[in-house]
Amino acid sequence: MAIATINPATGETLKTYEPLPAEALEEKIARAAEAFARYRLTSPQERAGWLRSAADVLEGDADAVAELMTTEMGKTLAAAKAEAAKCATALRWYADHGPAMLEPEPKDASAVKATQAYVVYQPLGVVLAIMPWNFPLWQAMRFAAPALMAGNVGLLKHASNVPQTALYLEELFTKAGFPADVFQTLLIGSGEIERVLRDDRVVAATLTGSAPAGQSVAAIAGDALKPTVLELGGSDPFIVMPSTDLEKAAAVAVTARNQNNGQSCIAAKRFFVHADVAEEFTRLFAEKIAALTVGDPMAEDTQIGPLATEQGREDVDTYVRDAVDKGATVVVGGKRVDRPGWFYEPTLLTGITPEMDLYFEEVFGPVAALFTVNSLDEAIEIANSHPYGLGSNLWSEDEDERARFIRDIASGMAFVNGMTTSHPELPFGGVKQSGYGRELTETGMREFMNAKTVWIGPSSSEREGGDTAGTASE
């Protein structure tokens, strides 16, 4: 894929970039390694100050960067502004809470015959971040804010269709006053990722993307014995039980499926509705989907913009046509929008069977698949048969159903009476083919830190006359 800004609302190529030549890439890696040697010695309080400054800069740039995101990948301008605001919030959250997370963690010294025993969390070094286009600012910030707070240095290989947003991220941290080269953007193609990851100066990687991309990065990193965090998408279940408020559940379901024009890894994609309320929920869901306004993503009243790429729309259309050909029913939508750009109608399908490709595949667009089930157990069983396990949703007022859902659903996150979303305060990640490792909160920050055990024994005077017998080594 060319490194270019192509407006998905029109199909017009606005700006193209040449990939970094080999010597320039080498220079950036060298500068990152040199930056880490200095940056790791800065205090958590200094890093927190730079993060707060970055939040201030981002808020000042919010309108311009929101327009940039909308131009590059088609999300509505309102959604882009909300994304920028969320990034500023995350920067401040890590600034406020990061220093405490980096304090030494005391352990029971007497139990291990020490005068002091504790764990210190220290940064690993230069981390490669391979990020997707769908939340071009937020997905990168989920890595950047905790990594920079921890004292790590970042190299960002962003998606090739959001190069201007990628370059803005480097500019943001520079304008905020971070030391030079602690966060750099690499305008390179996917073919260069292996070279960067195998470089001895790069110590770890994080990737948000497809399962095949995750397998490739994990294989390279495993061969080089480097840690990785992988977030590889999902096909989140949204389970509706009779005890819930159907009107509210349907309203949230529309947002949960169609947020970001349906291009979200944590979007609810498969809707499991109890037979007792299936007819009513389907009616409410369909009405609300049909009422969505599709149009220019820069317009204030637009709720659904274009898909980010022409191939993305082609993939969505192929999944829908395959399902219909094999017996699925189109309740709402089901076809491309006849206008310039890569628009697709918000769609609701029923009658989904395992023979259809979308039964097991993640559909990255505004297409909801609705299943009628006879029990919560049936819903969980079908949901868990899917290879992904990122987020999950249950709508129920029954305490027993909630407890069973939380216990039995195979997912990294379980949301009850609300849609899956990400917060700096909560770990984010999945299981099965949705990947491994976690982002956000202290769990995400420590993915790329060395939990170093510190044991300090008694002084010479304290040891005199002491009994060292009876201890055992590993």
Side-chain angles (χ1 to χ4, degrees):
M1 178 186 291
I3 301 176
T5 298
I6 303 174
N7 188 338
T10 64
E12 179 185 5
T13 299
L14 303 177
K15 196 167 186 178
T16 59
Y17 294 83
E18 289 298 320
L20 277 176
E23 58 273 18
L25 178 57
E26 161 62 28
E27 181 185 353
K28 279 183 169 284
I29 297 172
R31 283 161 41 195
E34 292 167 3
F36 175 67
R38 301 184 299 271
Y39 187 60
R40 71 181 184 86
L41 301 177
T42 61
S43 71
Q45 290 71 29
E46 286 178 295
R47 299 171 206 157
W50 290 320
L51 287 174
R52 289 192 184 93
S53 179
D56 292 340
V57 171
L58 179 54
E59 287 174 341
D61 294 343
D63 287 347
V65 76
E67 289 187 9
L68 182 58
M69 286 190 282
T70 296
T71 299
E72 288 202 304
M73 58 72 54
K75 68 171 72 245
T76 65
L77 188 58
K81 289 180 178 179
E83 183 171 338
K86 185 172 186 175
C87 289
T89 297
L91 287 163
R92 288 206 174 88
W93 190 86
Y94 274 102
D96 292 342
H97 300 279
M101 295 174 186
L102 298 177
E103 288 290 325
E105 189 177 276
K107 299 299 179 183
D108 187 348
S110 63
V112 294
K113 296 182 172 57
T115 56
Q116 296 182 66
Y118 55 91
V119 176
V120 291
Y121 292 93
Q122 298 178 328
L124 294 182
V126 180
V127 182
L128 173 64
I130 306 157
M131 293 291 115
W133 46 261
N134 57 329
F135 290 93
L137 206 66
W138 172 240
Q139 304 240 197
M141 195 62 69
R142 288 203 320 237
F143 157 74
L148 295 177
M149 184 68 241
N152 288 307
V153 167
L155 290 174
L156 172 64
K157 190 285 179 211
H158 219 322
S160 294
N161 60 327
V162 290
Q164 294 186 68
T165 305
L167 291 170
Y168 171 77
L169 281 157
E170 179 177 331
E171 177 188 339
L172 168 65
F173 293 115
T174 300
K175 288 167 66 175
F178 278 89
D181 302 322
V182 301
F183 191 93
Q184 300 179 76
T185 288
L186 308 177
L187 292 185
I188 57 176
S190 58
E192 294 296 315
I193 290 174
E194 180 168 1
R195 173 189 169 183
V196 177
L197 186 50
R198 287 193 180 276
D199 192 292
D200 289 341
R201 294 163 294 186
V202 176
V203 299
T206 179
L207 175 141
T208 298
S210 68
Q215 290 170 330
S216 175
V217 166
I220 297 165
D223 186 56
L225 294 179
K226 297 179 181 181
T228 54
V229 170
L230 303 178
E231 194 269 277
L232 307 178
S235 190
D236 291 8
F238 189 106
I239 302 172
V240 179
M241 298 300 290
S243 62
T244 198
D245 180 336
L246 294 182
E247 181 71 36
K248 182 178 179 181
V252 174
V254 173
T255 303
R257 171 60 277 204
N258 295 289
Q259 61 177 312
N260 207 43
N261 306 338
Q263 300 163 123
S264 171
C265 53
I266 56 171
K269 300 181 178 76
R270 296 174 298 147
F271 296 81
F272 299 95
V273 185
H274 194 282
D276 290 352
V277 294
E279 182 177 352
E280 177 64 7
F281 180 85
T282 302
R283 181 186 67 79
L284 291 168
F285 195 20
E287 287 178 355
K288 295 178 189 303
I289 290 174
L292 292 171
T293 301
V294 179
D296 179 359
M298 292 288 187
E300 289 186 4
D301 63 341
T302 294
Q303 295 167 292
I304 302 290
L307 298 183
T309 66
E310 187 173 15
Q311 184 61 54
R313 185 178 68 168
E314 181 63 31
D315 291 344
V316 169
D317 191 46
T318 298
Y319 281 126
V320 172
R321 286 188 286 107
D322 172 77
V324 172
D325 288 346
K326 294 173 181 176
T329 298
V330 176
V331 181
V332 175
K335 60 183 183 295
R336 306 174 190 215
V337 178
D338 185 17
R339 59 175 293 165
W342 302 315
F343 293 84
Y344 198 86
E345 292 180 341
T347 298
L348 174 59
L349 299 175
T350 59
I352 308 302
T353 64
E355 293 74 29
M356 302 168 189
D357 291 340
L358 62 72
Y359 188 93
F360 288 111
E361 298 293 333
E362 178 183 24
V363 181
F364 224 54
V367 177
L370 190 146
F371 302 75
T372 298
V373 294
N374 294 309
S375 68
L376 176 61
D377 291 340
E378 182 184 357
I380 291 174
E381 181 181 0
I382 300 173
N384 286 349
S385 69
H386 200 279
Y388 289 121
L390 188 56
S392 58
N393 307 262
L394 171 69
W395 286 78
S396 171
E397 298 300 323
D398 185 290
E399 290 295 334
D400 178 64
E401 289 176 347
R402 293 179 182 184
R404 283 158 53 209
F405 168 74
I406 294 167
R407 182 192 66 192
D408 295 337
I409 198 72
S411 67
M413 298 169 284
F415 282 66
V416 177
N417 293 348
M419 60 180 262
T420 307
T421 187
S422 54
H423 301 275
E425 298 88 348
L426 296 173
F428 183 97
V431 296
K432 301 194 292 186
Q433 290 189 22
S434 287
Y436 53 76
R438 291 296 180 266
E439 297 175 303
L440 300 175
T441 194
E442 71 272 15
T443 307
M445 186 169 69
R446 291 174 180 173
E447 289 281 1
F448 298 124
M449 302 194 78
N450 174 21
K452 181 182 287 184
T453 295
V454 178
W455 184 99
I456 301 176
S459 64
S460 298
S461 60
E462 292 172 316
R463 286 199 303 271
E464 290 179 3
D467 181 9
T468 59
T471 61
S473 66
E474 182 186 353

